[in-house]
Amino acid sequence: MNIKHTLMAAGALLLATGSAHAGVVEELRVGVMQHNICVTNCKNADKEDGPSVNLELVFASPDFLSWAFEPRPYLMASINTAGDTSFGGGGLEWAFNVTDSITIEPGLGYVIHNGETSNPFPDGTPQAYDFAQENLLLGSEDLFRTSLGVHWQFSEKWGAEVLYEHLSHGQILGSGRNQGVDNIGMRISYTFGE
């Protein structure tokens, strides 16, 4: 993973959250994700193994984002235990209450990954075919991350969440292949503060 880019993105995110609450970590979330699952287009599913360990820090929503339903900034990392695509980055997550203890949490972010971006072999060769059958071709080192979680706060400090995430450059950040990757899993959360 390109640490320089990840640190630059994390620093920019923290600078962008300038407010009285900026930098205040509200939650730590840790979980396990099934990597490269089939959701809609299954021809690219199961090319990579897993699971992946998912870590996330969630910050207080800065005052200047109150007009946008108070999204909370996050920094995250996903480490693939099989040595396949790992990634890290940041973004914003919203929380919409369903009940006093259950929230729906959509998110939008930006990540840098260490997976394959293109096929190194000439088109039409057996080597190119074999490489494409075994690897996700993500088309760009940086990807958008969209996510959707259902979070259950079962005590004052502890919660649990089912999370789905999709990574793709959407033909906006990169060129060429845009196979994307889908992951699903569960996380536990710890809420800081009083």
Side-chain angles (χ1 to χ4, degrees), residues 149-180:
V150 178
H151 189 85
W152 173 43
Q153 194 71 29
F154 57 82
S155 77
E156 186 176 321
K157 294 286 188 184
W158 294 96
E161 179 179 52
V162 174
L163 178 71
Y164 163 75
E165 64 186 358
H166 174 76
L167 285 82
S168 172
H169 68 68
Q171 302 295 341
I172 297 170
L173 295 176
S175 60
R177 287 309 234 341
N178 180 32
Q179 293 181 336

Side-chain angles (χ1 to χ4, degrees), residues 28-133:
L28 169 65
R29 296 177 176 187
V30 179
V32 177
M33 306 290 285
Q34 180 58 45
H35 180 74
N36 191 208
I37 64 166
C38 172
V39 176
T40 56
N41 184 351
C42 298
K43 70 179 180 178
N44 297 314
D46 301 321
K47 287 184 178 180
E48 295 191 343
D49 293 323
S52 295
V53 177
N54 183 286
L55 307 165
E56 184 173 285
L57 288 175
V58 183
F59 298 86
S61 183
D63 295 338
F64 75 91
L65 287 177
S66 61
W67 64 271
F69 304 105
E70 299 179 340
R72 297 188 301 166
Y74 70 84
L75 293 175
M76 62 80 58
S78 182
I79 299 103
N80 187 274
T81 60
D84 287 324
T85 302
S86 295
F87 55 92
L92 298 172
E93 290 177 341
W94 288 260
F96 299 104
N97 291 336
V98 176
T99 69
D100 287 343
S101 60
I102 297 176
T103 54
I104 303 293
E105 300 187 356
L108 179 62
Y110 170 85
V111 298
I112 306 289
H113 69 90
N114 66 352
E116 297 294 339
T117 57
S118 60
N119 196 322
F121 300 102
D123 284 344
T125 64
Q127 296 91 343
Y129 176 81
D130 291 343
F131 189 85
Q133 294 304 304

Side-chain angles (χ1 to χ4, degrees), residues 132-153:
Q133 294 304 304
E134 297 172 6
N135 294 277
L136 288 172
L137 302 177
L138 298 171
S140 156
E141 285 184 358
D142 47 346
L143 302 170
F144 293 115
R145 176 183 182 254
T146 54
S147 61
L148 182 63
V150 178
H151 189 85
W152 173 43
Q153 194 71 29

